[in-house]
């Protein structure tokens, strides 16, 4: 089936059915994002990362339904106004969940970056030369404190 045929098939669905499918995809996406947020909050990064393929698939499904709903908005608002309102409320729920998810991701990134920076400083301090400077004290060279440690800021 071509992309145009899939779009035409979606657009020709009865109003209630199209809204129901969009609502189902939206609900599943919100649930997966909630699971991911919960895992991230608990520090279970690998388990949260395992949800990425499912989250991606659900997001793609939802976007397809949402675009069809947008294309058919006049027809849907006439034929199924209650279903359209449920979708609007569900979309607000998705926006709220996404904001929370992004906040938790930003916090996890900041904590990870701080942790790696602290480890780099400690490792650098252990590797510095133990010599005395002009004043009779061990000199601290701040430029060598992070040797051998790299921080990936693309998280």
């Amino acid at each position: 089936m071509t992309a145009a045929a899939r779009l035409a098939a979606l657009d020709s669905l009865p109003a209630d059915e199209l809204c129901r499918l969009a609502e189902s995809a939206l609900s599943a996406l919100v649930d997966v994002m909630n699971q991911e947020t919960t895992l991230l909050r608990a520090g279970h990064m690998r388990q949260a990362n395992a949800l990425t393929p499912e989250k991606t698939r659900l997001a793609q499904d939802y976007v397809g339904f949402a675009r069809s709903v947008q294309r058919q908005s006049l027809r849907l608002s006439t034929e199924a106004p209650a279903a359209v309102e449920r979708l609007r409320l569900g979309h607000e729920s998705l926006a709220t969940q996404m904001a929370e998810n992004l906040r938790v991701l930003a916090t996890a990134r900041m904590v990870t970056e701080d942790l790696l920076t602290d480890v780099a400083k400690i490792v650098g301090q252990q590797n510095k030369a133990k010599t005395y400077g002009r004043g009779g004290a061990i000199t601290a060279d701040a430029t060598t404190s992070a040797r051998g440690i790299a921080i990936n800021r693309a998280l």
Side-chain angles (χ1 to χ4, degrees):
M1 179 181 274
T2 66
R6 283 194 303 271
L7 292 175
L10 270 179
D11 289 351
S12 66
L13 287 173
D16 285 331
E17 186 177 351
L18 177 57
C19 288
R20 183 184 53 76
L21 289 170
E23 197 173 353
S24 175
L26 176 61
S27 177
L29 180 58
V30 169
D31 287 345
V32 167
M33 289 188 75
N34 186 35
Q35 290 173 27
E36 181 184 51
T37 302
T38 302
L39 289 169
L40 288 171
R41 235 188 236 124
H44 302 294
M45 305 302 176
R46 285 192 178 110
Q47 290 171 314
N49 193 37
L51 295 174
T52 299
E54 182 182 3
K55 183 176 74 168
T56 301
R57 182 187 58 78
L58 290 170
Q60 289 172 342
D61 290 349
Y62 173 65
V63 166
F65 289 125
R67 287 184 178 158
S68 182
V69 167
Q70 286 175 336
R71 286 189 303 271
Q72 299 296 314
S73 63
L74 291 175
R75 179 176 69 94
L76 297 177
S77 62
T78 302
E79 294 177 15
V84 171
E85 180 60 21
R86 281 194 314 270
L87 269 175
R88 188 186 64 72
L89 293 173
H91 187 74
E92 288 176 7
S93 172
L94 174 64
T96 301
Q97 184 59 50
M98 286 177 74
E100 178 66 14
N101 189 279
L102 290 173
R103 188 183 67 75
V104 169
L105 281 171
T107 301
R109 178 179 182 241
M110 184 181 66
V111 167
T112 301
E113 190 172 300
D114 288 348
L115 180 65
L116 288 176
T117 301
D118 290 348
V119 168
K121 286 178 184 176
I122 291 170
V123 168
Q125 287 173 354
Q126 292 171 352
N127 290 335
K128 72 179 180 181
K130 306 281 190 215
T131 59
Y132 291 96
R134 288 185 187 160
I138 295 178
T139 59
D141 184 10
T143 61
T144 62
S145 66
R147 254 187 216 155
I149 301 288
I151 299 172
N152 182 356
R153 296 183 186 272
L155 178 61

